[in-house]
Structure formats: structure tokens, C-alpha cells
Amino acid sequence: MDQLTSIASQRAWSRARRAAGERISFVPTMGALHEGHLSLVRRARQDAKRVVVSIYVNPTQFDNPEDLSAYPVTLAADLALLEKEGVDAVFLPTTSEMYPNGYCTFVEVVGPLTDKMCAIARPGHFRGVATVVTKLFTIVEPDSAVFGQKDLQQVLIISRMTGDLALPVEVLVSPTLRDPDGLAMSSRNRRLNPEMRAKALSLPFGLEQANRAFKQGERTAVKLEELLYNELLVHPGVDVDYATIVELPGFNEPEFANDQCILAAAVFVDGVRLIDHIHLGGQSLTVAQA
Ligand code: PAF
């Protein structure tokens, strides 16, 4: 597995593979890898002969400096996992490489995708994501790139941006993986002790309660959102950032839900921010406890 730290070396690596007629699939990450990331790597492997993974904790997508400094870094373990998966190259840029002195160019997606949910809760977050992903695409020059469905708003924004800018990259979406207790896999889960984890389970549990009510005929969006709030707010230390029903693909907030809708939420569990969503009317979630 090649490890590349400069833009020039990664670009040269990718161009040599493409010149040899090899397709490249790319998985951008911020490290602290878990099975969810590895499922993205496997999806990439199905798509292309060569798989490139980037590990870079992108500072421009953190609205809160404490969140950035608390972000877990587990580089040696990450590299061992990627080596085992047969990844061909890992791009490990430094911040001075990605954002050299005087840097002042950003990519911003505007409209319904970025006027609600995480975009409001984390001002500037998606601008940072769109900027770094665009830059990573221009460095790695992949044929495809794989993103997790758990970060649904992120992947919709990246798809929109890729289409709008005519970037020659196919955006692939891989399903959310859950631990056996029902919690969606996330690098942030490492920060949960057993007590916090028990509280965090109220998120998938509440989503499932709303899903069940939807399947039983409840359609009023605020009532479905309320069912989730009710599950979350009984736990001291759980604060709701948002719990919102949005309709796909337009990302509008309907008064009445239908089977094109998702219920999405972000919560803080003793200060650790977690996100999750469920497709209303879709597959039920099994949650160990709440
Ligand atoms: O989902 C993530 O880990 C990040 O937002 C991404 C896409 C790697 C950009 O920094």
C-alpha cells in the first residue's frame, strides 16, 4: 500500500494508474476508521481495480474548535486496517499542503440542501466539506467516489456539487452500517462510555418509533417528529440539535409525510454529537435497548 503525503505525488500516482487503463475508486475519510468505512472500501473495490483512501481531518468543516481537537486520531490502526483490505494507496496530506498560507477559495452549495438540519446547526460545515471534497477530487482524479448514506445531507450535497460543477466523478452511496445494538457506526462512537451509549440508543429507537407510527398511518410531520423527541428527551444529558422530516429529492419540509420522506436527527449525548435518519415506511431498525 503506497502512502502519499503531497498533492504532486498523489496526482502522479493516479495519473500513472489511469494511463495504464486502470479505473480508480476513492474513499475520502477523516480516519478513526471502523467497519462502516471498511464497507465503503469494499464498495469501492467492487467498482474499480484501484482503491485510494484519504485520511485527513479537514479543519474547515469544523465550526467548533473543541470538536476538532476532540476528533479521534488513530493513524497506525487505520493504516493496518486499510492494508488488510488491500487498499492500493492512502493519501495523507498535511494542512499546509491542503490549505497553504493565503488560501482563500471555497466551494459553496446553496438552496434547500443547505438551509436546514446540519447546515444550520453547524454553520460553514458543508462549505468546508464541499471545498475539501472538490480539492480531493482534483488531486486523486478518481473515476468514482464512495460516501456513506449515514451522512445523507452530506452525500446529497456532494452529488449536487459534483453534477453542478461537471466533475468527472461518479458518486456512489453505501448503506449505513449499525452495531448489533442498533447504533449507527460512527467515529464519534469511540467517545461514548457504556452509560452514554445506552442514552445514544434512544436515537435509533426513537426513529424506529416514528417509523412504526408512520407504518400504522400517522402522517402529520410534527407528530412523527414529536415521537422521536419524546424518546430522546427523557434521558438527562441528551440534547436535541434537530429532528426534522424532509422529502427527497427536493429536501423540502412537508406538513404531511409520505414514503419519499426521511426523518433525520442530530443529538448531543453528554456533548458528543451523533446523527442518524430513517426512511419512513422503510426497513425497521432493531435496537437492543433505549
Ligand atoms: O464524511 C467525512 O468523513 C468527511 O466529511 C469527508 C467526506 C471525508 C470530508 O472531509
Side-chain angles (χ1 to χ4, degrees), residues 27-31 37 40 54 56-58 61-62 71 125-126 128-130 132-133 136 146-148 151 154 158 187:
V27 182
T29 81
M30 298 205 298
H37 292 110
L40 306 184
S54 64
Y56 177 58
V57 183
N58 171 38
Q61 69 188 74
F62 286 84
Y71 203 85
H125 170 67
F126 288 122
V129 170
V132 81
V133 170
L136 289 168
V146 187
F147 295 86
D151 299 311
Q154 166 172 284
I158 289 169
S187 303

Side-chain angles (χ1 to χ4, degrees), residues 32-52:
L33 303 182
H34 50 70
E35 267 303 310
H37 292 110
L38 301 183
S39 73
L40 306 184
V41 169
R42 289 170 200 144
R43 177 71 188 86
R45 169 68 65 219
Q46 284 170 358
D47 187 62
K49 182 170 167 84
R50 299 293 175 193
V51 175
V52 177

Side-chain angles (χ1 to χ4, degrees), residues 125-168:
H125 170 67
F126 288 122
R127 182 176 118 138
V129 170
T131 301
V132 81
V133 170
T134 304
K135 187 150 183 175
L136 289 168
F137 281 2
T138 67
I139 296 165
V140 176
E141 298 183 352
D143 297 283
S144 68
V146 187
F147 295 86
Q149 193 185 331
K150 182 175 85 69
D151 299 311
L152 183 74
Q153 192 173 12
Q154 166 172 284
V155 79
L156 292 172
I157 289 168
I158 289 169
S159 295
R160 178 88 246 171
M161 172 196 90
T162 306
D164 286 353
L165 297 179
L167 301 175

Side-chain angles (χ1 to χ4, degrees), residues 20 77 79 83-84 95 100-101 103 120 124 130-131 143 173 210 220 230 236 253-254:
L79 293 174
E83 179 96 57
K84 210 164 145 216
T95 288
N101 274 345
Y103 189 93
I120 302 298
T131 301
D143 297 283
V173 185
T220 308
N230 291 345
E253 290 171 279

Side-chain angles (χ1 to χ4, degrees), residues 209-290:
Q209 294 305 102
N211 190 27
R212 197 169 297 168
F214 178 85
K215 286 178 178 169
Q216 286 165 0
E218 180 59 72
R219 291 290 180 272
T220 308
V222 284
K223 286 198 179 151
L224 293 164
E225 289 163 3
E226 222 173 76
L227 285 169
L228 173 57
Y229 271 100
N230 291 345
E231 290 303 330
L232 295 167
L233 293 178
V234 291
H235 300 276
V238 175
D239 294 312
V240 183
D241 203 343
Y242 64 78
T244 311
I245 289 180
V246 286
E247 191 173 20
L248 301 178
F251 231 59
N252 57 311
E253 290 171 279
E255 194 179 341
F256 298 101
N258 59 52
D259 60 9
Q260 299 301 306
C261 289
I262 57 149
L263 171 55
V267 300
F268 288 97
V269 177
D270 295 328
V272 178
R273 192 171 187 278
L274 302 174
I275 60 170
D276 201 353
H277 70 274
I278 195 163
H279 197 126
L280 290 172
Q283 208 185 343
S284 303
L285 302 180
T286 311
V287 184
Q289 54 173 344

